[in-house]
């Protein structure tokens, strides 16, 4: 029964998104934009609170969104319907005649909340970090490292450029070689002579 309800919900969400061109949504807070919803280390960028995005498709956990020419995943429960930009217009009534010794009261305009996309500079790629990675490794490698990806055969320097400095490094000298285990908060990387050979969750 639960599966049927979940299926109907996902189907309804998908059909409602297809029925509209692209639904406008806004982030509830500062949210991470992931390139891969199954890899929470694949953060592309942080979206500021109130960032207006277009929903491409959604499921119960993640929504594929578009922000300019960037696509990625945001947790579905961290998005809300984008509020339209509202402007307050005061009626152009003629002022009521006041005695000369009393000042004329001016109407007070309240500023309406504005929900807008972040400034262009904060969402442009390449960023300084991305450009530095391009200069160091070339475009293809830079894209993967910028998205916090790692794979067998990369150097320890590339891993540091991708994931950052580890919390702890365990170094072992084995058979005229050096093996290192880099510990992060939830994962580890294992290097043999400066080359990544294994990784996994911290036990």
């Amino acid at each position: 029964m639960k599966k049927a309800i979940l299926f109907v919900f996902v189907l309804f969400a998908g059909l409602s998104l297809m029925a509209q061109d692209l639904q406008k949504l806004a982030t509830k807070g500062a949210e991470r934009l992931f390139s891969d919803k199954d890899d929470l280390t694949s953060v592309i960028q942080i979206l500021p609170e109130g960032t207006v995005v277009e929903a491409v498709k959604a499921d119960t956990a993640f929504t594929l969104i578009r922000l300019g020419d960037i696509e990625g995943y945001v947790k579905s429960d961290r998005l809300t319907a984008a509020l339209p930009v509202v402007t307050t217009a005061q009626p152009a009534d003629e002022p009521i005649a006041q005695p000369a010794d009393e000042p004329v009261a001016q109407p007070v305009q309240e500023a309406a909340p504005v929900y807008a996309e972040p400034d262009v500079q904060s969402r442009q790629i390449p960023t300084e970090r991305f450009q530095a990675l391009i200069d160091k490794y070339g475009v293809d490698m830079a894209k993967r490292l910028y998205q916090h990806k790692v794979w067998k055969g990369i150097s320890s320097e590339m891993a540091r450029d991708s994931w950052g400095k580890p919390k702890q490094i365990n170094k072992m000298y084995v058979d005229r070689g050096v093996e290192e285990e880099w510990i992060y908060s939830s994962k580890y990387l294992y290097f043999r002579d400066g080359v990544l050979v294994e990784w996994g969750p911290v036990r």
Side-chain angles (χ1 to χ4, degrees):
M1 180 66 178
K2 288 182 181 179
K3 287 183 181 180
I5 292 172
L6 180 62
F7 175 76
V8 170
F9 176 76
V10 171
L11 181 64
F12 177 76
L15 289 175
S16 66
L17 282 177
M18 287 174 25
Q20 305 171 5
D21 285 344
L22 288 176
Q23 182 181 6
K24 298 281 187 183
L25 300 173
T27 56
K28 291 181 179 178
E31 302 302 330
R32 293 174 291 176
L33 179 63
F34 301 101
S35 63
D36 181 1
K37 67 180 180 179
D38 296 324
D39 182 5
L40 299 183
T41 63
S42 66
V43 177
I44 298 172
Q45 71 183 63
I46 304 295
L47 303 176
E49 180 178 357
T51 302
V52 176
V53 297
E54 297 173 327
V56 177
K57 67 179 180 178
D59 60 30
T60 55
F62 286 90
T63 300
L64 177 62
I65 60 104
R66 183 177 300 137
L67 177 64
D69 58 348
I70 301 171
E71 280 193 0
Y73 294 90
V74 175
K75 291 185 177 179
S76 296
D77 63 341
R78 303 303 301 151
L79 295 169
T80 184
L83 298 175
V85 176
V86 179
T87 58
T88 56
Q90 295 294 326
D93 295 338
E94 293 185 14
I96 300 172
Q98 299 283 334
D101 57 344
E102 291 184 28
V104 176
Q106 297 295 323
V108 177
Q109 283 187 316
E110 292 185 29
V114 177
Y115 297 89
E117 293 186 27
D119 63 323
V120 174
Q121 191 176 34
S122 69
R123 61 183 167 94
Q124 280 183 336
I125 294 180
T127 63
E128 289 179 25
R129 176 176 174 259
F130 187 60
Q131 188 60 51
L133 291 172
I134 289 173
D135 295 343
K136 196 170 185 179
Y137 302 111
V139 175
D140 293 334
M141 292 286 192
K143 283 181 184 177
R144 294 171 77 184
L145 295 173
Y146 184 76
Q147 294 174 348
H148 305 287
K149 304 262 185 199
V150 295
W151 58 96
K152 287 184 180 180
I154 65 170
S155 68
S156 57
E157 183 179 5
M158 292 171 80
R160 187 180 297 264
D161 286 340
S162 181
W163 281 20
K165 183 179 176 183
K167 287 184 173 183
Q168 178 182 345
I169 297 177
N170 299 324
K171 190 178 275 193
M172 297 154 277
Y173 297 95
V174 181
D175 297 330
R176 296 184 191 167
V178 178
E179 294 183 358
E180 292 180 337
E181 181 182 47
W182 290 12
I183 308 294
Y184 291 87
S185 57
S186 63
K187 294 186 180 185
Y188 73 90
L189 299 177
Y190 196 81
F191 297 90
R192 187 169 294 126
D193 295 324
V195 176
L196 183 63
V197 294
E198 185 181 343
W199 66 89
V202 173
R203 296 178 195 117

